[in-house]
């Protein structure tokens, strides 16, 4: 499912004869037809083309904005779990503080503060995205730490950092990746929401959120304008969750 | 006081409970001390303190003439290795046997990369495991084989003291014997100094030169093996010995000398 979407997003310039921003005012608000598979919007832009181009923007932002939080989260989580004591206290204090704030509140504040657009999303996610991973990793690390193979690595005289990366990391990664998949769904919805509220991706770059809000005014006459991007979000969400479940099953079997 | 392990006034407390109470213990070089005692008597705590996994509240542990610092250096850690009770838990499930064996060798610079393969094979041969094991993972082996691999890894850093904390207790009876035989032969071939913990008197009898008895965190008796098994000095030692179930006369032959 995810593969289909990614493939489409990569191949769209080849498949579609239309430009995502090209307006054709003679053919505005057309219902789905053979020429325009999902119809056109109020400016006569091909909806299917825009939808897939939007997938490009949204998915790539989603992946890019997850990479750094994923790494820092795991690193901090391992530090907290492995060394415990004051290290754990500090890191847990920070994560708990962030968790006390509703996610969207932080997102909207930061997005306003840093100005709309991709940069806002990146900054927000750098700030709050790592928390989930830090918490999960910390929990797993604390339980792994009791294992005798950690003790035996310690008696071998290996350094703490080495034990963390060579011994604990491979055991933490499966859980973290599964969490990554679910977290990506959340992030995607956040990106789309910001777009919908007008503080996310700036037009004319196609984005599912802005597409939904643009289509809203025509909801009675041209329902597909809002419905299709909405369905696209649902589709991607389900696809990501399925990948997460599949990976979890795979690792459990090993 | 030149070689061997020397423990003086070692005390460990957990939340007000005294787990180890002023332990005094010496293990001569190239000898094996068998440590017995019931569950909760502090045997494993002592092992972990000596291995540097628990920091003691008081007391001095020295290996040879060198007192071990509270926060041990890598070189100090390397000198004392430990075999754990459960070989399922003491080998990282996500590393291959090759990785498990070679990691410490490379980290401490014991062998050069070009000699690594050779050394790993030697280590496996020493514990009677086939060389084809190198690229397999711990879960592909039986408990006894895993314990052998754990022993090979502990030996890889050429320790001065080997601690074995109930190394046969988690194994099947049939496998226990062969692992025990391995310990005995390694002891002779490599002139190991060992701290061997068990609650099985038969195992202790087979492997030890000296026997030490622990009870409620205290060391109540230290005696040579022959004296302990013939006539223990303390009533508690006698009690432990008389608790060993015996087979009917005639069918009973213990693995005294492997």
């Amino acid at each position: 499912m995810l593969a289909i979407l990614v493939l489409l997003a990569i191949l769209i310039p080849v498949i579609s004869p239309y430009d995502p921003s090209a307006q054709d005012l003679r053919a505005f608000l057309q219902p789905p037809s053979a020429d325009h598979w999902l119809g056109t919007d109020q400016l006569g832009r091909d909806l299917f083309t825009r939808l897939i181009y939007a997938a490009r923007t949204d998915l790539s932002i989603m992946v890019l904005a997850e990479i750094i939080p994923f790494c820092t989260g795991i690193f901090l989580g391992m530090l907290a779990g492995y060394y415990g004591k004051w290290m754990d206290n500090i890191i847990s204090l920070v994560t708990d503080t962030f968790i006390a704030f509703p996610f969207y509140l932080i997102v909207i504040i930061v997005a306003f503060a840093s100005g709309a657009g991709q940069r806002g999303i990146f900054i927000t996610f750098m700030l709050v995205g790592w928390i989930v991973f830090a918490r999960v990793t910390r929990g797993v690390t604390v339980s792994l730490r009791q294992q005798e193979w950690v003790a035996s690595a310690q008696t071998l005289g290996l350094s703490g950092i080495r034990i963390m990366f060579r011994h604990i990391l491979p055991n933490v990664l499966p859980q973290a990746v599964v969490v990554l998949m679910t977290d990506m769904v959340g992030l995607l919805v956040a990106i789309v929401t910001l777009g919908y509220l007008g503080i996310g991706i700036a037009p004319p770059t196609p984005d599912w959120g802005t597409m939904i809000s643009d289509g809203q005014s025509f909801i009675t006459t041209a329902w597909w304008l809002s419905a299709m991007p909405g369905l696209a979000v649902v589709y991607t969400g389900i696809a990501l969750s399925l990948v997460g479940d599949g990976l979890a099953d795979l690792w459990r079997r090993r | 006081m030149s070689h061997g392990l020397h423990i003086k006034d070692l005390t460990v407390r957990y939340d007000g409970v005294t787990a180890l109470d002023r332990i005094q213990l010496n293990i001569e070089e190239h000898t094996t001390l068998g440590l017995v005692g019931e569950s909760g008597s502090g045997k494993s705590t002592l092992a972990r303190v000596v291995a540097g996994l628990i920091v003691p509240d008081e007391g001095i542990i020295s290996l040879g003439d060198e007192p071990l610092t509270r926060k041990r250096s890598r070189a100090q850690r390397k000198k004392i290795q430990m075999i754990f009770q459960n070989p399922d838990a003491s080998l990282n499930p996500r590393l291959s046997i090759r990785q498990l064996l070679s990691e410490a060798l490379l980290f401490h610079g014991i062998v050069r990369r070009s000699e690594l393969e050779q050394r790993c094979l030697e280590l496996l041969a020493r514990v009677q495991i086939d060389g084809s094991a190198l690229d397999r993972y711990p879960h592909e082996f039986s408990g006894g084989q895993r314990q052998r691999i754990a022993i090979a890894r502990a030996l890889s850093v050429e320790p001065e003291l080997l601690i074995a904390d109930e190394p046969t207790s988690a194994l099947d009876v049939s496998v226990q014997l062969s692992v025990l035989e391995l310990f005995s032969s390694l002891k002779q071939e490599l002139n190991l100094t060992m701290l061997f913990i068990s609650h099985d008197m038969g195992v202790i009898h087979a492997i030890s030169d000296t026997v030490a008895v622990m009870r409620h965190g205290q060391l109540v008796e230290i005696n040579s093996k022959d004296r302990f098994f013939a006539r223990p000095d303390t009533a508690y030692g006698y009690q432990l010995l008389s608790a060993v179930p015996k087979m009917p006369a005639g069918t009973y032959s213990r693995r005294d000398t492997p």
Side-chain angles (χ1 to χ4, degrees), chain A residues 86-249:
Chain A
W86 60 269
M87 192 87 87
D88 190 17
N89 289 341
I90 294 175
I91 294 172
S92 296
L93 187 76
V94 177
T95 53
D96 291 347
T97 313
F98 270 107
I99 280 188
F101 289 101
F103 175 65
Y104 277 92
L105 189 68
I106 304 180
V107 172
I108 291 170
I109 291 170
V110 178
F112 264 120
S114 59
Q118 300 191 5
R119 206 162 55 106
I121 295 169
F122 283 126
I123 294 176
T124 317
F125 231 69
M126 297 295 168
L127 276 176
V128 295
W130 60 273
I131 305 260
V132 196
F133 302 111
R135 282 178 72 90
V136 171
T137 312
R138 181 191 163 273
V140 179
T141 309
V142 165
S143 70
L144 290 177
R145 222 192 111 54
Q146 317 295 329
Q147 299 276 336
E148 285 176 346
W149 48 259
V150 174
S152 58
Q154 286 170 336
T155 56
L156 284 170
L158 306 175
S159 62
I161 291 287
R162 194 183 169 86
I163 294 176
M164 268 171 42
F165 281 98
R166 272 272 295 182
H167 293 252
I168 295 183
L169 185 61
N171 289 280
V172 167
L173 221 46
Q175 265 100 332
V177 169
V178 174
V179 174
L180 175 68
M181 291 301 154
T182 7
D183 199 53
M184 276 194 179
V185 181
L187 177 58
L188 177 69
V189 174
I191 296 172
V192 172
T193 310
L194 287 178
Y196 177 79
L197 295 173
I199 49 176
I201 316 287
T205 314
D207 154 65
W208 291 334
T210 29
M211 287 171 72
I212 296 176
S213 74
D214 284 351
Q216 219 173 9
S217 342
F218 309 95
I219 197 88
T220 45
T221 48
W223 55 270
W224 58 89
L225 285 187
S226 291
M228 290 308 165
L231 284 177
V233 176
V234 173
Y235 177 91
T236 318
I238 294 175
L240 283 170
S241 309
L242 285 178
V243 172
D245 283 353
L247 288 176
D249 283 349

Side-chain angles (χ1 to χ4, degrees), chain A residues 154-155 157, chain B residues 51-52 72-81:
Chain A
Q154 286 170 336
T155 56
Chain B
R72 292 192 190 171
S73 67
R74 281 172 196 169
Q76 287 174 336
R77 282 186 180 275
K78 184 166 88 79
K79 287 182 184 169
I80 301 182
Q81 288 305 309

Side-chain angles (χ1 to χ4, degrees), chain B residues 169-199:
Chain B
S169 307
L171 305 176
D172 290 343
V173 178
S174 56
V175 184
Q176 279 186 11
L177 180 61
S178 69
V179 171
L180 202 60
E181 276 166 357
L182 176 66
F183 269 108
S184 305
S185 62
L186 288 176
K187 187 185 147 189
Q188 268 155 20
E189 284 167 31
L190 305 174
N191 257 329
L192 289 175
T193 310
M194 275 203 287
L195 170 59
F196 199 100
I197 298 175
S198 183
H199 55 247

Side-chain angles (χ1 to χ4, degrees), chain B residues 79-247:
Chain B
K79 287 182 184 169
I80 301 182
Q81 288 305 309
M82 182 157 170
I83 311 287
F84 294 87
Q85 176 171 359
N86 189 348
D88 301 354
S90 62
L91 300 173
N92 188 336
R94 296 204 180 270
L95 296 184
S96 70
I97 306 306
R98 181 193 301 277
Q99 289 169 318
L100 285 165
L101 288 178
S102 54
E103 182 172 31
L105 288 173
L106 291 175
F107 186 80
H108 291 293
I110 296 169
V111 294
R112 263 177 272 134
R113 227 164 237 287
S114 55
E115 299 157 1
L116 188 63
E117 172 102 14
Q118 183 58 30
R119 177 59 73 90
C120 288
L121 290 173
E122 282 168 20
L123 286 167
L124 284 180
R126 190 172 279 165
V127 296
Q128 295 144 27
I129 296 271
D130 194 71
S132 63
L134 276 184
D135 289 311
R136 289 154 70 188
Y137 285 82
H139 68 89
E140 296 174 58
F141 296 91
S142 70
Q145 288 172 318
R146 269 182 257 185
Q147 195 61 292
R148 287 165 188 274
I149 292 165
I151 295 169
R153 182 180 53 175
L155 293 176
S156 71
V157 293
E158 293 156 6
E160 289 178 22
L161 174 73
L162 188 65
I163 304 170
D165 185 3
E166 306 256 12
T168 57
S169 307
L171 305 176
D172 290 343
V173 178
S174 56
V175 184
Q176 279 186 11
L177 180 61
S178 69
V179 171
L180 202 60
E181 276 166 357
L182 176 66
F183 269 108
S184 305
S185 62
L186 288 176
K187 187 185 147 189
Q188 268 155 20
E189 284 167 31
L190 305 174
N191 257 329
L192 289 175
T193 310
M194 275 203 287
L195 170 59
F196 199 100
I197 298 175
S198 183
H199 55 247
D200 185 332
M201 286 298 169
V203 170
I204 292 291
H205 189 252
I207 199 101
S208 323
D209 301 304
T210 317
V211 178
V213 183
M214 279 193 82
R215 187 185 198 190
H216 304 323
Q218 289 179 323
L219 217 48
V220 293
E221 178 171 351
I222 304 175
N223 222 330
S224 74
K225 176 177 88 174
D226 294 337
R227 272 209 44 193
F228 179 79
F229 280 93
R231 206 145 67 90
D233 286 346
T234 56
Y236 184 65
Y238 183 76
Q239 213 180 318
L240 283 178
L241 279 180
S242 57
V244 177
K246 297 215 165 50
M247 298 281 276

